[in-house]
DNA sequence: AAAGATTGAGCCATCAATCTTG
DNA sequence: CAAGATTGATGGCTCAATCTTT
């Protein structure tokens, strides 16, 4: 964990930042997941889907939603199956493209999302928001967005 | 919690930092995973195991290793099965406790790890290290370590 | 009885193939 | 043929049960 020798040289600050990011994120997610299941009775993945669906009134297309929650299309198909079975979501034909399916929250889904959101914000505040200064937060936003676009360029630009 | 708005529409800087962290990390990992499989022919998980095993000459016990790589014991059992089948690892009886198994790298595993490490450092440098200033890196280390200990305290103390 | 590790059942994600619509 | 979505086969991980050793 620490004092590890990834190379003979002393790790740079950036190198330590990389490991800190990985390990910190891992612990945060692990904690969040546990808190979530215990307190809200819903998996984090459910919340993630509901979050992205709730943003758009007319519903989200499967493909876009899959991208948003980082799943393959078939993976999302089965996830939506389960959530539909649980009465949280509804599939609706897309009026403009008959190939597409739009996912919308049911009334029960909306209520559930509201409740879970409140809980979610509480947990996030306790473990993250309240422990980070504005200054630090700005740096994080700055860095992460920069890295994101770098990755996206690389992915598009090919190897 | 303060003057700025906590409403859904106008998240705080910290709130944006939270989402930036989640999404950025997700994209980084996704990219790293792809790069890794393509360039080194090894999954990230393999590297993670080799990394933790390589740190200790006398080998790692299964339970400790499972904790380190964030897997259940049974999950690790099957992962180690595969890696052993691939000739990268070896199970050895623990001399001091006959219940325990020690995992060590084979010679092939060591060589593989060295090569993959080099590749790994290259990728990390390209997508992360070279794109973050020392100043920013210090902030990240600072924040993430603070959050990690906060989470650990909560896990121990909180029900 | 508790701790280290493995086994088997079940769940969930990916991949390749398929169907329908543009 | 390309794009949106689903289906079935396969693989990895978790959970509960089990075995051995302390």
């Amino acid at each position: 964990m620490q004092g590890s020798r990834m190379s003979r040289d002393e790790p740079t600050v950036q190198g330590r930042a990389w490991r800190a990011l990985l390990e910190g994120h891992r612990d945060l997610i692990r904690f969040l997941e546990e808190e979530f299941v215990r307190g809200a009775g819903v998996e984090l993945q459910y919340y993630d889907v509901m979050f992205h669906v709730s943003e758009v009134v007319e519903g989200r297309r499967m493909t876009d939603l899959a991208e948003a929650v980082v799943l393959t299309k078939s993976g999302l198909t089965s996830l939506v199956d389960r959530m539909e079975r649980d009465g949280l979501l509804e599939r609706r034909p897309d009026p403009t493209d008959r190939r597409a399916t739009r996912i919308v929250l049911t009334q029960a889904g909306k209520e559930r999302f509201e409740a879970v959101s409140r809980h979610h914000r509480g947990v996030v505040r306790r473990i993250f928001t309240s422990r980070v200064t504005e200054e630090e937060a700005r740096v994080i936003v700055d860095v992460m967005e920069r890295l994101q676009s770098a990755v996206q360029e690389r992915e598009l630009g090919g190897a």
Side-chain angles (χ1 to χ4, degrees), chain A residues 46-61 64-69 89 102-106 109-110 113-114 117 121:
Chain A
Y46 271 40
Y47 174 76
D48 208 16
V49 170
M50 290 192 284
F51 174 81
H52 286 288
V53 170
S54 72
E55 284 183 314
V56 186
V57 181
E58 66 273 21
R60 282 268 209 170
R61 281 152 69 240
D64 299 338
L65 193 52
E67 171 69 16
V69 302
L89 301 179
R102 296 259 171 196
I103 310 301
V104 295
L105 289 176
T106 61
K110 283 178 192 164
F113 177 64
E114 277 309 311
S117 277
R121 277 194 295 272

Side-chain angles (χ1 to χ4, degrees), chain A residues 76-92:
Chain A
L76 183 65
T77 293
S78 86
L79 178 55
V80 167
D81 281 348
R82 273 171 274 146
M83 294 182 71
E84 197 171 23
R85 217 170 284 138
D86 292 348
L88 299 172
L89 301 179
E90 219 179 66
R91 281 179 165 91
R92 289 201 187 154

Side-chain angles (χ1 to χ4, degrees), chain A residues 7-30:
Chain A
S7 70
R8 297 175 305 249
D9 315 87
E10 290 289 314
T12 62
V13 196
Q14 285 92 341
R16 293 199 293 127
W18 173 250
R19 281 215 83 79
L21 194 64
L22 291 189
E23 289 173 5
H25 179 273
R26 194 178 62 183
D27 291 357
L28 284 178
I29 288 297
R30 183 158 46 163

Side-chain angles (χ1 to χ4, degrees), chain A residues 112-132:
Chain A
R112 189 93 179 132
F113 177 64
E114 277 309 311
V116 173
S117 277
R118 244 174 280 127
H119 180 258
H120 179 258
R121 277 194 295 272
V123 175
V124 171
R125 191 180 315 121
R126 285 204 302 282
I127 69 163
F128 184 85
T129 317
S130 67
R131 298 176 191 276
V132 177

